[in-house]
Amino acid sequence: MSTRTTLLIGLGLLVLLALLPVDLSSIGVPYPGLRRYGTYILTLWLVTAIAAMGVNLIVGYAGQETLAQAAFVGIGAYLTAIVTKAGMPFGVAFAASALLTFIIGIVLGFPALRVQKHYLAFVTLAFSVLCWLVFRNEQWLTGGIYGLSGIRRPTILGWNTMPERDYFHFCLAMLVLVTAFVWWIVRSPWGRAFNALRENPLRAESLGVDVRLYTLLAFALGSAYGGLAGSLYAPLVEFIDPSPFALGPSLIFMLMVVIGGIGTFLGPFLGAGVAVLLP
């Protein structure tokens, strides 16, 4: 299938997805649109797919292991909640979530330079548990087990995204942007370096691939996608507590990538659909 055909099919699916929550009866089409709960679940799928794309970058393309994605989603969610409740614009919180998780992802990537496979999974597992303990116990910052409430959805350039349908379209727009970035990455020299790193690190290094750089870059980008997903998740649910960011959700993110297809472009969307839409 050519790139042009793929893009046309993708555009058609995007238009169809954008119309799902919309009431089309006013223009003579007998379709009332999704109700509020259906739109919420569909938005949750979009947000989850962004986080799963980050796992796919680390596991599917770079061949590393991670059980910490839920922790990065939690970092993005709590940072967004704290910053926006302090009166700062959502755009600042969104950018800060991406930047902070990108930096933490670099730090977390350093163990991947020395340990591999299940040993690396144990390192990311420890980080995930550490973050959950901070979310749960540091009540002065995160609200502890009582969580943080009153997280309002943003107004973007005069566009109030408080209604479910408007926030769905905002998250859909963000999904298109981050998906386009992944599309560019996997077809760039970065993507080819990631694939070489996954298939045979020693041979990749002998061919001039900077294994150290691309390992850290994979962790940083994948973690940043978790932070972006968390930044969108907090206004969606309007209340956050530590439970969605425990170890179990991190395992589910890994399963999404496995079910959807490790190292495939559509894998995160299919896996997130199975995990979110199917139940």
Side-chain angles (χ1 to χ4, degrees):
M1 186 181 297
S2 66
T3 302
R4 182 178 179 182
T5 303
T6 303
L7 290 176
L8 288 175
I9 293 175
L11 182 60
L13 292 174
L14 180 62
V15 172
L16 179 62
L17 186 61
L19 292 176
L20 279 179
V22 180
D23 183 1
L24 301 178
S25 57
S26 59
I27 59 174
V29 179
Y31 176 69
L34 292 176
R35 295 186 178 180
R36 182 177 179 181
Y37 179 70
T39 304
Y40 165 80
I41 293 297
L42 204 59
T43 310
L44 182 60
W45 168 58
L46 300 180
V47 173
T48 305
I50 294 176
M53 274 193 281
V55 177
N56 198 36
L57 276 173
I58 298 172
V59 179
Y61 289 108
Q64 304 299 316
E65 301 291 337
T66 180
L67 293 175
Q69 192 69 343
F72 287 109
V73 175
I75 291 171
Y78 274 104
L79 180 59
T80 298
I82 293 168
V83 169
T84 54
K85 286 171 67 70
M88 299 291 288
F90 175 79
V92 173
F94 192 69
S97 298
L99 180 60
L100 179 60
T101 49
F102 184 89
I103 294 172
I104 297 175
I106 292 176
V107 176
L108 188 63
F110 273 100
L113 303 176
R114 294 184 173 273
V115 296
Q116 294 293 324
K117 301 303 177 184
H118 53 282
Y119 298 108
L120 178 58
F122 288 148
V123 173
T124 60
L125 170 65
F127 174 78
S128 182
V129 172
L130 174 64
C131 288
W132 181 78
L133 289 174
V134 172
F135 299 152
R136 185 179 185 277
N137 296 328
E138 301 303 319
Q139 187 170 344
W140 64 274
L141 181 64
T142 65
I145 59 175
Y146 302 104
L148 296 175
S149 60
I151 308 167
R152 297 188 58 82
R153 293 172 188 167
T155 299
I156 310 296
L157 300 176
W159 176 26
N160 181 14
T161 63
M162 190 63 194
E164 296 287 343
R165 187 174 66 185
D166 290 89
Y167 195 69
F168 164 79
H169 285 128
F170 172 67
C171 290
L172 181 60
M174 294 297 101
L175 178 68
V176 169
L177 291 177
V178 299
T179 302
F181 185 65
V182 170
W183 178 277
W184 174 78
I185 285 178
V186 299
R187 282 158 179 75
S188 70
W190 288 6
R192 291 190 288 273
F194 286 156
N195 288 331
L197 183 63
R198 176 189 63 197
E199 298 298 332
N200 193 323
L202 292 177
R203 186 174 183 182
E205 188 171 16
S206 69
L207 293 174
V209 175
D210 191 337
V211 172
R212 182 186 181 90
L213 172 64
Y214 285 104
T215 299
L216 296 178
L217 186 61
F219 268 93
L221 290 174
S223 302
Y225 267 60
L228 293 175
S231 189
L232 295 172
Y233 175 79
L236 171 64
V237 297
E238 301 180 80
F239 167 81
I240 54 173
D241 67 345
S243 57
F245 315 120
L247 175 60
S250 282
L251 295 173
I252 292 175
F253 280 123
M254 177 68 80
L255 286 175
M256 288 179 198
V257 175
V258 173
I259 292 171
I262 296 177
T264 62
F265 189 77
L266 293 179
F269 300 95
L270 298 176
V274 170
V276 176
L277 299 180
L278 189 59

